[in-house]
Amino acid sequence: MTTTVAKNTRVALILGSVVCGMVALAFASVPLYRLFCQVTGFGGTTQVAEAGAENNLVLGSREMTIRFDSSVNGDLPWTFKPVQRAVSLTAGESGIAFYQAKNTSAETVRGVATFNVTPLKAGQYFVKIDCFCFSEQTLLPGQEVDMPVTFYVDPEIENDPNLSEVKTITLSYTFFRDDEVVSQEVSGLGNNAGQKPAIEIN
């Protein structure tokens, strides 16, 4: 009888350990997946540059065309579009582009942007220096702003045989409504309303 109880106790401990391990893995899976995406560029996830990193880059020789795309989730009463269709730059060269957003509703609305690049395999080489997508954006009723993103394509892309044919990358954003309590203060981007993009439109 004692042996049976001991066996049952041991089995219960093993099963409990398995359950605890599965719960821990479930909590860890999201950050691990995010880290995997950031390191590998999986799913078109872009990279974020450390401060000043772009100043130490040696320009490559490949000319890259960066195209811009946008969309808005149906719950967000905004218009959102790229100011320019595309820009051309050399790998390692910093570029800047602007997206324009307008709140078409009669209420203050906060939005948050998700993003990716295509082809997906180029994500690990597309690096953002600064971007409106790094934080939530709040627009007052009828407010229109220009939202900048600065970036570069890592010249290491030229050494990757899997991307030897890639000369065009599309950067896509989708804005979603953030239903948390909205502050009446406009984000700093509101000061850029009407600002003209400092890049050549192709």
Side-chain angles (χ1 to χ4, degrees):
M1 184 70 176
T2 303
T3 303
T4 302
V5 171
K7 287 182 178 180
N8 290 340
T9 301
R10 186 166 58 251
V11 170
L13 289 173
I14 293 174
L15 291 177
S17 298
V18 170
V19 170
C20 290
M22 292 178 68
V23 171
L25 182 60
F27 278 101
S29 61
V30 172
L32 287 175
Y33 179 76
R34 288 178 179 171
L35 178 62
F36 172 76
C37 290
Q38 290 173 353
V39 172
T40 64
F42 181 77
T45 302
T46 63
Q47 309 302 301
V48 178
E50 296 181 3
E54 69 278 9
N55 298 326
N56 300 320
L57 290 176
V58 177
L59 292 183
S61 58
R62 186 184 305 181
E63 183 170 305
M64 303 292 301
T65 297
I66 311 301
R67 299 187 181 279
F68 304 97
D69 189 23
S70 65
S71 61
V72 176
N73 180 270
D75 292 334
L76 182 67
W78 289 10
T79 59
F80 175 61
K81 61 184 179 181
V83 174
Q84 62 291 296
R85 293 184 298 275
V87 298
S88 295
L89 45 76
T90 303
E93 177 185 0
S94 297
I96 182 170
F98 286 80
Y99 280 76
Q100 190 175 80
K102 182 177 182 179
N103 180 0
T104 58
S105 74
E107 61 178 336
T108 299
V109 180
R110 179 188 296 170
V112 61
T114 61
F115 55 86
N116 76 323
V117 299
T118 52
L120 300 181
K121 60 184 179 180
Q124 60 184 311
Y125 297 106
F126 192 92
V127 186
K128 292 181 180 178
I129 302 169
D130 196 13
C131 181
F132 60 87
C133 59
F134 292 166
S135 60
E136 300 161 336
Q137 303 300 326
T138 303
L139 297 185
L140 295 175
Q143 184 182 13
E144 182 176 289
V145 296
D146 286 345
M147 299 179 172
V149 52
T150 53
F151 58 89
Y152 64 85
V153 178
D154 192 325
E156 283 298 314
I157 194 173
E158 298 180 9
N159 299 322
D160 190 332
N162 293 322
L163 287 99
S164 59
E165 83 290 356
V166 175
K167 295 182 179 179
T168 299
I169 295 176
T170 300
L171 175 62
S172 301
Y173 288 96
T174 299
F175 251 109
F176 292 84
R177 181 169 187 146
D178 187 337
D179 288 327
E180 294 180 4
V181 177
V182 178
S183 168
Q184 293 299 313
E185 295 182 358
V186 184
S187 72
L189 287 173
N191 296 326
N192 293 327
Q195 179 178 350
K196 301 297 183 182
I199 53 177
E200 180 180 352
I201 299 178
N202 293 333

